[in-house]
Amino acid sequence: MDTIDNSSDKGTENTEQETNVDREHERILNEIETTDTAFIGASLRAVYEGNDHQKFLNRLDSRIKQHDKDIEKMCNFHYQGFIESITELINVRGDAEKLKNQTIVINKELHDSGKEVVVKNDTLIQCRLQQKNVVSAIEKLTTCLPVLQMYGKILEQMEEERYYAALKTLEQLETSYLPQIYQYRFCDIMKNDIPNIRMTIREKSTKLLNDFLEDVRKKSSQIGMVAMKQVEKERDLDEKSQQADELYLKNQNESNTLTTISKLVEGNPFEEEEEETNSKNPFDEEPQDENNPFMEEKQTADMYQPESNQDLSASDIVDFSPVYKCLHIFGLIKSREWFEEYYRKQRHKQVQLILEKSVGTLGSVESYITMFHEIVGFFVVEDHILHTAQNLVTQKYITGLWDMVLLHLLNKLVPNQINFPDAPSMMQIKNIIVIFADTLKAYGFAVDRLFGLLMEMRDTYGEMMLKLWQERFEGVFNEDNYTPIHLETVDDVDETLLAFPFDEEEFEGEKADVYPKKLAFSLFVPKIYNEIKEFILACLKYCEDLHLSSTEVDDMIRKSTNLLLTRTLASGLKTLVQKPSLGLNQLVQITVNTTHLENACPHVEEYVRMITGVRTGSAHSAKLVGVSTFKDARNETESQIYDKLNGKIDEFFDLADYEWEMSEPQGLASRYLVDLINFLRTTFHVFTTLPSNVAQTACMSACRHISTCLTGMILDPGIKDVTLPALQQFNLDVVQCEHFANSEPVPGFNEGVLQMSFIEIRQLLDLILTWDWTSYFADYGTPKSKYLRVNPAMALSLFEKIKQDKAGPRAYFTSIGRGKKKINDQVYKRLRSLVSGSS
């Protein structure tokens, strides 16, 4: 029994295992069927890890066969539908063939009917012989003849494409003539042919309208070109009239201005601007020169149209008669609403085509001109249709189209979504947009948002201008030689120098005509000044025609100029003074240059006031920050001068070669220090062109740096032993430095101030050379101490170097009587305690 039970249990277990294996295989097959092939690795791995590979393959083959059967069933099911569809198609083809044959038969019968009419007519003519039908035939023919004539007239008008007249004749035939002969069979033929005639006229008229729309589409650019040119011409005439009025008032009320201008010709920086102020409105275009990047701006408008087409109108370029004809024709055939809807739909498609075409083509100035011409041409045509056609379009409809176009333009021309090539190109585009807006405004469209767009583009234009002027500033910096300007003759005084407002005594009084002359600044000063003025003019050009008040113009110019000074010019000057290639003389010249540019800032303020008319200091007038910009640049330059000077001093100290264990001093200062002092004397002589405080600061910085270097040299941890002669030789170098400080290398120092730079190293050397430790320890920490600047760490460091000599410190100071070892140990311990206490 136990054996049977065990066998039964084993069979049950085998059955359960097989069931589990089947379930697992079924699960894996389901995963393979439902999972992407890129992710079946886990399922396949589960198969390989199992032991029933053959069983799984059998189940897989079974599943494949099952799917093949399902596919076959599906194909069989749909194949029958496909066969039926083909059969139906063949039947339809047969029916179509039958319909065609029937149409041919009907057409032939129609022609045969016409022949029968002819036969009937012949029969009637022959019957004239019969007396009783003569009178009746004459009467009937008399009645039918006008109908036939009217019908023939309709056919002639159709051939001549006089569709409106043909419709009027057809209407008269249908209402007045055909009712009189309704009993004749040819009358029915005419009645049946009337709808066909009307349909033909409708098709021909639609084609005529489509030809008109195609013609308008092709000529829209020309129409827009002419319209924008006319508006620009009228605006120029208005500006000239306004300039004449302002010039007359100015000559009446400002008689002193002309006198001032005549005096400024000799060298005033605003010579050109003053002359232009008296000859034209200050907001007009300034004269262009070959270096001005905006010289092509006024030429943009000349690209529009030849002079012969300036007085053309839309009706001179496009024939609008097809529209009027179609309007009357569709009115007669009771399809006026369809015609209006069709016309508006086609025009809507055309304006969308203009906008879609411009999406991928904008980039060059010409592409913008083409787009604006086509848009203006489109709305000029619609405005003409509005005022000449009878309600074909409405003002509401045109306004809706304009709103759509305007929204597209605002989204398309947003500054952060379009890459303008450069600042001059953007200026040309701005001028085109202004003319575009003024043209549409003349036709009654709302264009305020376009001017708002131009105000948004102003920031982008300003950034482009700053980038352009950054390159121009860099060019000026790279071209300058950083030496004062020498004028040998009066011919050397060019327009660039005359434009700069320098105040030099040599150009006044009796010295005005005496040459040669020397100016304190280099050539980059007048060049930078002129670049700033050109930038202001470029900003002013963008404000033109934007309908801004003088206060708004002044605010924009001042903000842009402040950005130019604080960001572009300041950054350029900072980069310039940080160039490693610049020497001290060049840095000194840059300091002088920035001083003269700073002094010229009030003249820049006056220049802005002249071209905007807004008084400086008014409530809405921002102040230019040029003074602070040049002060910061000068401070940076002065800092570089100090660093360069200290760097030169370090180079001399790198040449120092002290023999710290020498037995006898040289008796003279070290060669490197003599050369250093000679270099400093020459350098400080060059500094006479700098402001006194700068030269004094540089001198003080140099002396302190020398003192620091000397202190660092004697206290260098790498120096272990110092003999008395070496220390005396070092003392001679310090004395030489003190003599240099006493010689007043830069005037203006109070007595003893410069010598204080070496007080620390002097007190340290005096303490060691005199071995005056008693006074040092007695007065330590008191204001009256003789060695107030000597801290214990410095004293200990130098004491240890002397103390570590093989013969001991006593061997160096036997003549003074302080060489006892005990005293030295006490000094050492006391110094150590002071150092520990300080820490």
Side-chain angles (χ1 to χ4, degrees):
M1 291 297 292
D2 294 337
T3 304
I4 295 172
D5 291 340
N6 291 335
S7 300
S8 175
D9 292 340
K10 289 181 180 179
T12 303
E13 290 178 358
N14 292 335
T15 303
E16 290 179 355
Q17 290 178 356
E18 290 178 358
T19 303
N20 292 335
V21 169
D22 291 341
R23 289 178 181 174
E24 180 65 16
H25 287 173
E26 185 67 25
R27 182 186 65 79
I28 293 173
L29 289 175
N30 290 334
E31 286 184 358
I32 293 174
E33 290 176 345
T34 58
T35 307
D36 189 0
T37 56
F39 302 99
I40 64 173
S43 301
L44 296 178
R45 181 178 178 181
V47 173
Y48 284 116
E49 288 178 353
N51 297 324
D52 298 327
H53 295 168
Q54 186 61 41
K55 188 175 183 178
F56 175 78
L57 291 175
N58 293 336
R59 291 183 65 86
L60 182 62
D61 291 338
S62 176
R63 182 65 60 91
I64 292 172
K65 291 178 182 180
Q66 181 65 34
H67 283 305
D68 289 340
K69 290 179 181 180
D70 293 340
I71 293 171
E72 183 177 357
K73 289 180 181 180
M74 184 178 296
C75 292
N76 291 335
F77 176 78
H78 289 289
Y79 178 77
Q80 185 63 33
F82 174 74
I83 295 300
E84 292 176 358
S85 300
I86 295 299
T87 304
E88 292 178 1
L89 183 61
I90 294 174
N91 294 335
V92 170
R93 185 178 64 179
D95 294 338
E97 189 68 26
K98 292 179 182 180
L99 181 61
K100 178 180 178 182
N101 295 333
Q102 291 176 1
T103 303
I104 294 173
V105 173
I106 292 173
N107 184 53
K108 183 177 180 181
E109 291 177 355
L110 182 62
H111 286 288
D112 293 341
S113 299
K115 292 179 181 179
E116 291 179 3
V117 172
V118 175
V119 173
K120 293 287 185 179
N121 287 334
D122 294 339
T123 303
L124 287 174
I125 294 173
Q126 293 177 3
C127 288
R128 293 173 64 184
L129 299 175
Q130 300 177 6
Q131 185 62 35
K132 66 177 183 179
N133 294 330
V134 171
V135 175
S136 177
I138 293 174
E139 290 178 354
K140 297 303 180 182
L141 288 174
T142 304
T143 303
C144 294
L145 187 60
V147 177
L148 296 174
Q149 290 176 347
M150 189 70 69
Y151 189 77
K153 184 179 180 180
I154 291 174
L155 297 179
E156 290 178 2
Q157 291 171 341
M158 290 288 291
E159 290 179 359
E160 297 173 359
E161 297 184 354
R162 297 167 55 198
Y163 302 118
Y164 180 74
L167 278 176
K168 296 294 288 185
T169 305
L170 187 63
E171 182 180 3
Q172 187 179 5
L173 174 66
E174 187 178 16
T175 58
S176 302
Y177 289 89
L178 288 181
Q180 299 177 8
I181 58 169
Y182 66 91
Q183 67 275 21
Y184 300 111
R185 293 180 63 183
F186 74 88
C187 178
D188 295 334
I189 297 174
M190 290 183 181
K191 285 184 178 180
N192 294 332
D193 199 33
I194 286 176
N196 296 332
I197 295 176
R198 283 200 172 95
M199 183 58 66
T200 301
I201 292 176
R202 176 169 178 163
E203 293 175 355
K204 296 289 184 181
S205 300
T206 303
K207 182 178 182 303
L208 186 64
L209 176 63
N210 289 334
D211 293 341
F212 165 78
L213 292 174
E214 181 65 20
D215 185 49
V216 166
R217 187 187 66 81
K218 292 179 179 179
K219 296 181 178 179
S220 290
S221 181
Q222 183 182 2
I223 296 172
M225 183 191 307
V226 172
M228 292 176 68
K229 186 65 177 179
Q230 289 174 348
V231 170
E232 184 190 17
K233 183 178 179 182
E234 293 175 0
R235 188 182 64 180
D236 291 342
L237 291 175
D238 293 339
E239 288 181 357
K240 291 179 180 178
S241 176
Q242 182 181 1
Q243 294 168 18
D245 294 340
E246 292 179 355
L247 180 61
Y248 175 77
L249 294 175
K250 193 166 190 177
N251 291 334
Q252 292 291 329
N253 298 329
E254 301 181 4
S255 59
N256 293 332
T257 303
L258 294 176
T259 304
T260 305
I261 293 173
S262 63
K263 293 180 179 180
L264 293 174
V265 173
E266 298 178 358
N268 189 285
F270 304 113
E271 173 186 354
E272 295 180 3
E273 290 75 12
E274 288 285 354
E275 292 177 355
E276 291 165 2
T277 303
N278 287 275
S279 63
K280 59 192 292 187
N281 190 296
F283 293 95
D284 289 341
E285 297 284 348
E286 297 292 335
Q288 304 292 344
D289 56 42
E290 60 182 4
N291 295 322
N292 194 320
F294 302 97
M295 63 185 301
E296 296 181 357
E297 292 169 10
K298 291 299 287 182
Q299 299 174 0
T300 303
D302 297 336
M303 300 168 61
Y304 294 147
Q305 181 72 356
E307 301 241 340
S308 58
N309 292 334
Q310 291 182 7
D311 297 329
L312 293 178
S313 64
S315 59
D316 296 326
I317 301 174
V318 177
D319 181 16
F320 287 89
S321 60
V323 178
Y324 309 141
K325 291 178 181 179
C326 292
L327 187 64
H328 292 293
I329 290 172
F330 282 93
L332 286 176
I333 62 176
K334 311 301 182 184
S335 299
R336 171 68 181 264
E337 293 182 357
W338 179 89
F339 172 73
E340 292 178 357
E341 182 180 357
Y342 179 79
Y343 174 83
R344 296 178 184 181
K345 184 177 179 180
Q346 295 301 316
R347 291 294 282 166
H348 190 274
K349 289 182 179 178
Q350 286 187 350
V351 74
Q352 283 185 327
L353 182 62
I354 293 174
L355 299 179
E356 291 174 0
K357 184 177 67 173
S358 65
V359 168
T361 58
L362 290 182
S364 63
V365 177
E366 291 74 14
S367 62
Y368 284 93
I369 293 175
T370 301
M371 180 185 70
F372 289 132
H373 283 173
E374 292 181 350
I375 294 175
V376 170
F378 176 87
F379 285 103
V380 168
V381 170
E382 291 304 292
D383 183 77
H384 186 81
I385 293 294
L386 174 67
H387 292 90
T388 56
Q390 300 176 357
N391 297 325
L392 179 57
V393 294
T394 62
Q395 186 64 53
K396 181 179 179 181
Y397 162 76
I398 297 178
T399 302
L401 285 180
W402 167 242
D403 290 340
M404 179 191 72
V405 172
L406 180 60
L407 181 61
H408 175 85
L409 291 178
L410 293 176
N411 293 332
K412 181 68 179 175
L413 300 177
V414 118
N416 58 4
Q417 294 185 4
I418 188 167
N419 293 324
F420 296 100
D422 48 40
S425 299
M426 187 173 178
M427 175 63 74
Q428 296 182 47
I429 293 171
K430 169 258 173 183
N431 292 333
I432 296 167
I433 295 177
V434 169
I435 299 174
F436 170 76
D438 288 344
T439 304
L440 290 176
K441 184 178 180 181
Y443 283 91
F445 294 98
V447 296
D448 292 340
R449 296 179 68 184
L450 281 177
F451 287 102
L453 174 65
L454 291 175
M455 296 302 293
E456 293 178 6
M457 292 168 58
R458 178 182 62 181
D459 295 335
T460 303
Y461 174 76
E463 291 298 326
M464 288 185 174
M465 292 287 294
L466 293 177
K467 184 177 180 181
L468 176 61
W469 254 256
Q470 180 181 3
E471 296 175 357
R472 297 175 70 167
F473 285 152
E474 290 177 357
V476 172
F477 295 150
N478 294 332
E479 293 173 0
D480 196 48
N481 57 8
Y482 299 99
T483 57
I485 298 175
H486 292 271
L487 302 175
E488 297 297 335
T489 64
V490 69
D491 296 333
D492 294 335
V493 183
D494 55 10
E495 295 181 358
T496 303
L497 281 176
L498 287 176
F500 182 72
F502 54 86
D503 298 325
E504 297 287 344
E505 295 180 357
E506 295 185 357
F507 287 87
E508 298 177 358
E510 297 180 355
K511 297 182 179 180
D513 298 329
V514 178
Y515 286 88
K517 299 179 186 294
K518 180 180 179 182
L519 304 181
F521 51 83
S522 67
L523 194 57
F524 99 50
V525 172
K527 286 185 176 180
I528 292 295
Y529 179 81
N530 288 333
E531 290 293 346
I532 295 173
K533 287 173 58 178
E534 288 187 14
F535 179 85
I536 293 172
L537 289 178
C539 294
L540 177 64
K541 290 178 186 298
Y542 190 89
C543 297
E544 291 177 349
D545 305 317
L546 294 185
H547 310 295
L548 301 175
S549 65
S550 58
T551 303
E552 292 174 325
V553 174
D554 179 81
D555 183 63
M556 175 189 170
I557 291 177
R558 289 180 180 273
K559 287 182 179 178
S560 299
T561 307
N562 281 336
L563 284 177
L564 177 73
L565 295 175
T566 58
R567 194 169 73 184
T568 305
L569 183 55
S571 175
L573 288 172
K574 185 175 181 179
T575 303
L576 173 65
V577 300
Q578 290 178 350
K579 286 185 176 180
S581 58
L582 291 181
L584 279 173
N585 293 341
Q586 293 170 317
L587 290 172
V588 170
Q589 186 61 57
I590 292 174
T591 303
V592 175
N593 290 348
T594 53
T595 302
H596 283 82
L597 285 173
E598 178 185 344
N599 295 335
C601 287
H603 297 277
V604 178
E605 286 269 7
E606 178 64 16
Y607 183 67
V608 174
R609 184 199 66 78
M610 289 177 58
I611 63 176
T612 61
V614 178
R615 291 183 294 104
T616 304
S618 61
H620 302 285
S621 177
K623 185 177 179 60
L624 294 180
V625 294
V627 173
S628 61
T629 298
F630 294 120
K631 281 184 178 179
D632 294 341
R634 188 166 59 253
N635 292 337
E636 179 68 23
T637 308
E638 293 169 2
S639 177
Q640 290 294 323
I641 290 175
Y642 305 150
D643 293 342
K644 288 277 186 181
L645 189 57
N646 292 340
K648 285 290 185 181
I649 293 174
D650 290 337
E651 292 178 6
F652 279 98
F653 271 94
D654 290 340
L655 301 175
D657 187 17
Y658 285 99
E659 186 179 349
W660 298 109
E661 297 183 3
M662 66 171 56
S663 57
E664 292 293 335
Q666 299 176 359
L668 297 174
S670 299
R671 184 60 188 173
Y672 85 92
L673 194 65
V674 175
D675 294 339
L676 171 60
I677 291 175
N678 292 333
F679 165 76
L680 292 178
R681 292 186 187 278
T682 305
T683 301
F684 292 147
H685 178 72
V686 177
F687 283 8
T688 55
T689 57
L690 291 174
S692 58
N693 62 325
V694 178
Q696 291 172 5
T697 303
C699 184
M700 179 63 74
S701 174
C703 290
R704 289 178 177 176
H705 190 68
I706 293 173
S707 176
T708 301
C709 292
L710 290 172
T711 304
M713 185 179 296
I714 193 65
L715 298 179
D716 184 6
I719 300 174
K720 302 300 182 181
D721 301 317
V722 178
T723 62
L724 178 60
L727 194 62
Q728 291 172 344
Q729 177 63 42
F730 188 79
N731 183 58
L732 288 176
D733 292 343
V734 175
V735 171
Q736 187 71 21
C737 293
E738 291 173 334
H739 288 167
F740 170 73
N742 290 329
S743 65
E744 196 176 8
V746 173
F749 281 108
N750 293 329
E751 184 176 357
V753 171
L754 199 57
Q755 293 85 330
M756 292 296 293
S757 302
F758 301 97
I759 188 65
E760 186 177 86
I761 187 65
R762 167 49 54 207
Q763 291 182 2
L764 177 62
L765 291 176
D766 288 346
L767 174 62
I768 298 299
L769 291 174
T770 60
W771 210 252
D772 192 9
W773 298 107
T774 302
S775 299
Y776 178 74
F777 292 131
D779 297 334
Y780 178 76
T782 62
K784 64 177 182 178
S785 175
K786 182 179 178 181
Y787 307 102
L788 182 64
R789 300 295 182 92
V790 180
N791 63 63
M794 295 170 54
L796 179 61
S797 176
L798 186 55
F799 178 83
E800 287 177 337
K801 297 177 187 300
I802 297 174
K803 180 176 180 293
Q804 292 172 358
D805 188 78
K806 295 180 180 179
R810 183 178 180 183
Y812 296 144
F813 303 99
T814 54
S815 60
I816 304 176
R818 298 174 182 172
K820 295 181 180 180
K821 184 74 167 61
K822 183 178 180 180
I823 296 176
N824 291 340
D825 292 340
Q826 291 177 353
V827 171
Y828 178 77
K829 291 179 182 179
R830 186 68 182 274
L831 288 174
R832 292 292 298 178
S833 64
L834 290 177
V835 171
S836 301
S838 300
S839 61

